Amino acid sequence: MVPGDDAILTHLRRGALEYCVLAMLRDDELYGLDIARRLSTDGILLSGEGTLYPLLARLRKAGLVDTTWRESAEGPPRRYYSLTRDGGTALDTFTRTWKPFRDAVDSAIQGGPA
C-alpha cells in the first residue's frame, strides 16, 4: 500500500515541528494558541492543536523552553513560552544540519547524486 499525503506529512512533521516551534520563539514569547495559529496557516506544519500541546510540554520538560503565566484581558490567564539557552543551542544545531539534509533529499528525489 502506498502512503497518502497525510501519512507522509505526519512522518515529516515528527522530525521538524519542534524546531519550527523553537524558531518561532527565537525572538518572541508566544502563548500556545498563537503558536498553533501561526503553524496552521498553511495546513502543512500543523493539522490540529491536539499535537501541539504535548509537544510544548515535551519541550518544557527537556529544558528547551520556559513558561510563564500572564493575565489576559480577553479571558483566562495564558501560558507564554520562551526559548531557553539550551533551546537556542538545539535550534542552531538543527539550522546547521537542515540545509545539507534538505539539499540531499532534493537531490535524491530529482535523481542526482546524494
Side-chain angles (χ1 to χ4, degrees):
M1 179 175 187
V2 177
D5 290 356
D6 288 342
I8 291 170
L9 281 174
T10 296
H11 289 292
L12 292 172
R13 285 180 191 126
R14 280 190 190 130
L17 187 59
E18 69 183 78
Y19 297 102
C20 293
V21 170
L22 294 178
M24 291 175 64
L25 298 174
R26 181 181 310 157
D27 298 320
D28 292 319
E29 291 183 330
L30 299 171
Y31 68 100
L33 186 57
D34 194 30
I35 294 170
R37 286 179 182 149
R38 291 182 186 196
L39 287 173
S40 61
T41 56
D42 60 7
I44 299 294
L45 291 175
L46 188 68
S47 60
E49 292 176 34
T51 57
L52 178 62
Y53 290 100
L55 170 63
L56 290 169
R58 285 194 306 275
L59 292 174
R60 184 175 48 83
K61 288 177 185 171
L64 302 178
V65 299
D66 275 334
T67 62
T68 56
W69 286 97
R70 293 192 195 151
E71 293 297 322
S72 170
E74 297 148 11
R78 295 176 176 172
R79 179 180 276 194
Y80 278 77
Y81 297 85
S82 60
L83 193 65
T84 65
R85 180 176 292 178
D86 286 347
T89 300
L91 178 59
D92 290 343
T93 302
F94 177 81
T95 302
R96 272 194 319 275
T97 59
W98 175 251
K99 186 176 180 340
F101 176 79
R102 184 196 63 209
D103 291 347
V105 170
D106 287 345
S107 180
I109 289 171
Q110 296 167 3

